[in-house]
Amino acid sequence: MPSSPSRRMKIGEFLLLRLEEAGVRHLFGVPGDYNLVLLQQLQDTGTLKWIGTCSELNASYAADGYARLNGLGALLVTNGVGALGAINGVGGSYSEHVPVICICGSIPLRSVERGLGMHHTMADGSYDHFLNAYAHVTAACARLTPRNAAIEIDRLILTAWREKRPVYMELPSDIAYLDIEVPAGPLVLADAPSDAERLRSCIAAVARRLSAATSPAILVDADADRFGVASELMELAEKMQAPVAVINTAKGVIDETFPHYLGIYLGKASEAHVREAIEISDCLLAIGYRPIEVTTGDFTASLPANTIHARGHSVDVGDDNYQAVTLKEVLRGVINAVPRVRNRAPRPVAAAAARTHADPSAKLTQAAYWQAMQGYLREGDVLFVDNGTSYALFGLKFPPKCTFVGSVNWGSIGYSVGALLGTLTAAPERRHLLFVGDGSFQVTAQELSTILRHDHKPVIFLINNGGYTIERGYLGKDEAYNDIANWSYADLPKVFRRDTSARSFVVKTNGDLQKALSAPNDTMIFVESIMDRYDALAPIINSSNKGAELDYGPRGPQNRDNQLRPATH
Ligand SMILES: Cc1ncc(C[n+]2csc(CCOP(=O)(O)OP(=O)(O)O)c2C)c(N)n1
Ligand SMILES: [Mg+2]
């Protein structure tokens, strides 16, 4: 049998080359003795650009943000201490379906083989703890050896890309410079072709149902973005004149100015027209739907029993389950197969709510803040939201071509600051707006320094309300555990970069906010808005109140008048 062409390369250099071929141009992380060898190879070969971060947690968030815009992201950590620092973020990538490659410079094989005790281990003779930990938060993981490296590197990168999930690889520090035989050709990121019969049958089954329906509709979760099918979904909706709703994880995935876009579906918490179109559809096509309490209006979502469930690599239609098909091919086939509908007009778009005039000298409230933000958004923005009262961003209407970045399922506070570094690195030409609370910001604040170091120009909107307001709606309206230290947030750009040109604003009134919003975007803008600790939009407090019922049950302490409730006017 003729063997496929091969060549010889150093393991570390091969890994870097493969990352580059997979479209990864930057590597985030923190150096450590076990990974310095790979960093030296990166330096010597000039393949990827190194973006050192202040912590591995932030590197994991940055790689996640980068991957969301770039299709794939990567970070480099050191054994144990670095790997566990990053595992929260990698777990988030797993939960949120984001393809991230976590590379860990690990214990030399010499020590593993001889059982030599080494630092950054449990000193218990085992070297597998961190590999085992990562097995729970990755689609695949492996420790590289000279025998498996050529195969494992390709398998792991391709698995991350195909599954839209993170992978973890350990590169023992004494093998990065060893020559191995590697394939001569480049790594091609592609899905395995669908099974021809399954694909044909699946397309026919979906198209048949959709064509026969009188009220077809589409419901979109985040996988529509991860598997890159937003434009197909809009094409299908257009051809069938069918309405499309998203759940909050997929905010902005469907252009919100698209005539067939309905809004966000959240069960009973949805607007009536959205709820009706989804719940009484006689053929609902759901894309990657993964319901949890915060994406279903506390389990009040109710999809029709005969909903078609399409996922990245499989489709459920009635009793039939189709495997070995890809979402993109299925949708392309369905678009071609369904007849063009002309008599199902989209519902007229409601006129935008009239803007009330804000008194410039009045103290800033959340209601006025979010109304002002609606006017600030512009086409093409990358819009970040962290946990907290900033969730009000979900209520704003996005202009075309905006990208939403958030972590709705995983919900780790501080994610947004690290991820912002990642999206800025992936797409520095776009305008990036971060909406974050003081509590979330404190978790990962030091990454602001890396953002400044690389001359990025985001706009950071921080709400200083003295602590964890959204948590006060669960429990502890006035308890000290929901209070935090009152930093001088707007001074931080100067702290993190002495010669910063960032424009900082401390906003207390509507007039202050207007001034901040009129600053040009030629440098970083940091807007610290001081607001009342009890101020939050009613849907947000309601959601916290309901969350407390679910979390603590009827015997819980939330009923002792110990909970922030929506204001009653
Ligand atoms: C890593 C992590 N720790 C704790 C929490 C719990 N938590 C959720 S929201 C929140 C408070 C957020 O406060 P802040 O960012 O100030 O937002 P606010 O509601 O005050 O606007 C906390 C502590 C979490 N989601 N993630
Ligand atoms: Mg707060």
Side-chain angles (χ1 to χ4, degrees):
M1 218 174 67
S3 60
S4 42
S6 64
R7 58 191 155 154
R8 296 189 72 75
M9 269 186 96
K10 299 196 185 310
I11 293 175
E13 288 178 16
F14 177 63
L15 169 56
L16 295 170
L17 175 72
R18 284 313 206 210
L19 289 171
E20 197 179 33
E21 288 170 351
V24 176
R25 291 159 292 127
H26 301 82
L27 184 62
F28 301 93
V30 180
D33 57 327
Y34 298 127
N35 71 29
L36 287 174
V37 274
L38 188 69
L39 275 173
Q40 193 57 50
Q41 288 173 316
L42 178 145
Q43 207 64 38
D44 293 343
T45 56
T47 38
L48 311 185
K49 186 160 186 237
W50 173 247
I51 310 284
T53 54
C54 302
S55 77
E56 285 84 354
L57 175 64
N58 293 351
S60 66
Y61 290 154
D64 180 296
Y66 186 87
R68 292 202 193 201
L69 294 198
N70 188 58
L72 207 57
L75 72 152
L76 177 65
V77 301
T78 195
N79 200 76
V81 292
L84 291 192
I87 202 167
N88 174 3
V90 176
S93 301
Y94 191 80
S95 169
E96 300 280 329
H97 289 185
V98 182
V100 163
I101 296 156
C102 181
I103 304 160
C104 177
S106 64
I107 308 299
L109 285 185
R110 166 198 165 91
S111 301
V112 173
E113 208 156 283
R114 293 182 173 183
L116 302 178
M118 300 289 287
H119 67 286
H120 301 340
T121 72
M122 304 304 190
D124 62 354
S126 169
Y127 301 94
D128 297 341
H129 294 299
F130 313 118
L131 199 57
N132 291 340
Y134 266 90
H136 296 282
V137 295
T138 53
C141 57
R143 178 176 300 144
L144 302 183
T145 69
R147 273 95 53 214
N148 74 13
I151 290 171
E152 288 290 5
I153 288 169
D154 282 1
R155 178 181 79 96
L156 291 172
I157 296 175
L158 199 55
T159 299
W161 186 84
R162 283 186 175 170
E163 304 290 335
K164 311 303 176 200
R165 292 270 172 111
V167 296
Y168 173 76
M169 69 175 83
E170 290 194 345
L171 173 65
S173 58
D174 57 350
I175 70 166
Y177 274 82
L178 303 188
D179 289 312
I180 56 166
E181 197 165 83
V182 301
L187 176 65
V188 179
L189 291 185
D191 264 310
S194 298
D195 176 273
E197 182 283 324
R198 292 283 77 196
L199 180 64
R200 244 188 346 262
S201 303
C202 178
I203 291 168
V206 175
R208 200 178 317 119
R209 286 270 324 275
L210 284 171
S211 309
T214 53
S215 55
I218 301 174
L219 180 62
V220 173
D221 199 340
D223 273 2
D225 166 64
R226 309 301 190 261
F227 288 93
V229 296
S231 59
E232 279 79 7
L233 291 170
M234 288 197 281
E235 209 177 317
L236 181 60
E238 174 101 67
K239 192 165 180 196
M240 293 191 310
Q241 297 199 342
V244 192
V246 301
I247 67 168
N248 41 7
T249 46
K251 169 85 178 160
V253 171
I254 301 298
D255 184 333
E256 296 190 357
T257 62
F258 177 57
H260 301 278
Y261 174 70
L262 274 179
I264 299 183
Y265 176 67
L266 277 173
K268 286 187 179 159
S270 330
E271 287 179 78
H273 71 277
V274 181
R275 205 173 152 206
E276 189 179 322
I278 296 303
E279 294 181 2
I280 64 172
S281 167
D282 59 353
C283 184
L284 180 67
L285 172 61
I287 308 295
Y289 187 57
R290 291 192 293 142
I292 66 168
E293 92 282 33
V294 296
T295 63
T296 57
D298 292 290
F299 306 121
T300 59
S302 164
L303 308 196
N306 62 0
T307 296
I308 299 170
H309 283 281
R311 306 175 200 92
H313 301 108
S314 68
V315 179
D316 266 313
V317 190
D319 285 341
D320 294 314
N321 173 269
Y322 296 87
Q323 294 288 335
V325 294
T326 64
L327 184 55
K328 205 170 197 111
E329 284 180 300
V330 169
L331 290 175
R332 286 250 66 92
V334 171
I335 292 167
N336 291 332
V338 293
R340 183 169 292 283
V341 173
R342 297 187 195 282
N343 53 359
R344 242 189 327 246
R347 63 182 277 284
V349 180
R355 294 182 61 184
T356 48
H357 176 71
D359 170 6
S361 60
K363 195 167 163 283
L364 186 63
T365 61
Q366 291 251 357
Y369 184 75
W370 293 105
Q371 191 176 75
M373 289 310 161
Q374 180 67 75
Y376 190 71
L377 306 188
R378 69 176 192 223
E379 182 167 338
D381 283 345
V382 180
L383 299 163
F384 272 88
V385 71
D386 216 305
N387 273 42
T389 61
S390 292
Y391 263 177
L393 181 73
F394 284 106
L396 300 194
K397 183 171 172 170
F398 287 2
K401 300 192 175 72
C402 287
T403 306
F404 164 81
V405 186
S407 172
V408 176
N409 290 328
W410 190 242
S412 187
I413 58 170
Y415 161 78
S416 66
V417 185
L420 176 64
L421 169 66
T423 62
L424 286 163
T425 308
E429 71 290 353
R430 295 178 68 178
R431 192 175 77 153
H432 300 241
L433 312 187
L434 167 61
F435 296 95
V436 65
D438 46 2
S440 301
F441 183 77
Q442 288 197 357
V443 181
T444 46
Q446 74 275 50
E447 225 49 58
L448 194 59
S449 78
T450 316
I451 292 169
L452 287 161
R453 181 179 180 188
H454 293 282
D455 292 315
H456 291 303
K457 303 174 174 53
V459 189
I460 297 178
F461 291 108
L462 180 141
I463 294 178
N464 177 350
N465 52 14
Y468 305 138
T469 294
I470 199 165
E471 300 281 66
R472 298 185 201 278
Y474 275 76
L475 197 63
K477 179 180 179 194
D478 292 305
E479 302 291 0
Y481 56 68
N482 281 325
D483 299 341
I484 59 173
N486 188 14
W487 293 6
S488 183
Y489 298 96
D491 289 329
L492 287 176
K494 180 86 190 141
V495 171
F496 286 131
R497 182 163 175 171
R498 285 172 197 280
D499 65 344
T500 185
S501 60
R503 295 176 216 280
S504 280
F505 300 85
V506 178
V507 166
K508 292 180 178 157
T509 65
N510 292 322
D512 295 343
L513 182 62
Q514 282 315 322
K515 197 165 148 235
L517 296 184
S518 56
N521 291 114
D522 54 355
T523 182
M524 177 188 285
I525 299 175
F526 194 106
V527 185
E528 173 188 353
S529 296
I530 314 240
M531 286 196 260
D532 191 273
R533 70 207 299 236
Y534 300 143
D535 190 8
L537 299 191
I540 291 173
I541 307 179
N542 274 324
S543 160
S544 289
N545 293 170
K546 289 211 182 85
E549 290 303 319
L550 179 67
D551 283 358
Y552 315 134
R555 308 272 312 269
Q558 72 275 18
N559 299 317
R560 298 193 319 217
D561 201 20
N562 189 15
Q563 194 183 49
L564 176 61
R565 303 268 165 80
T568 45
H569 294 291

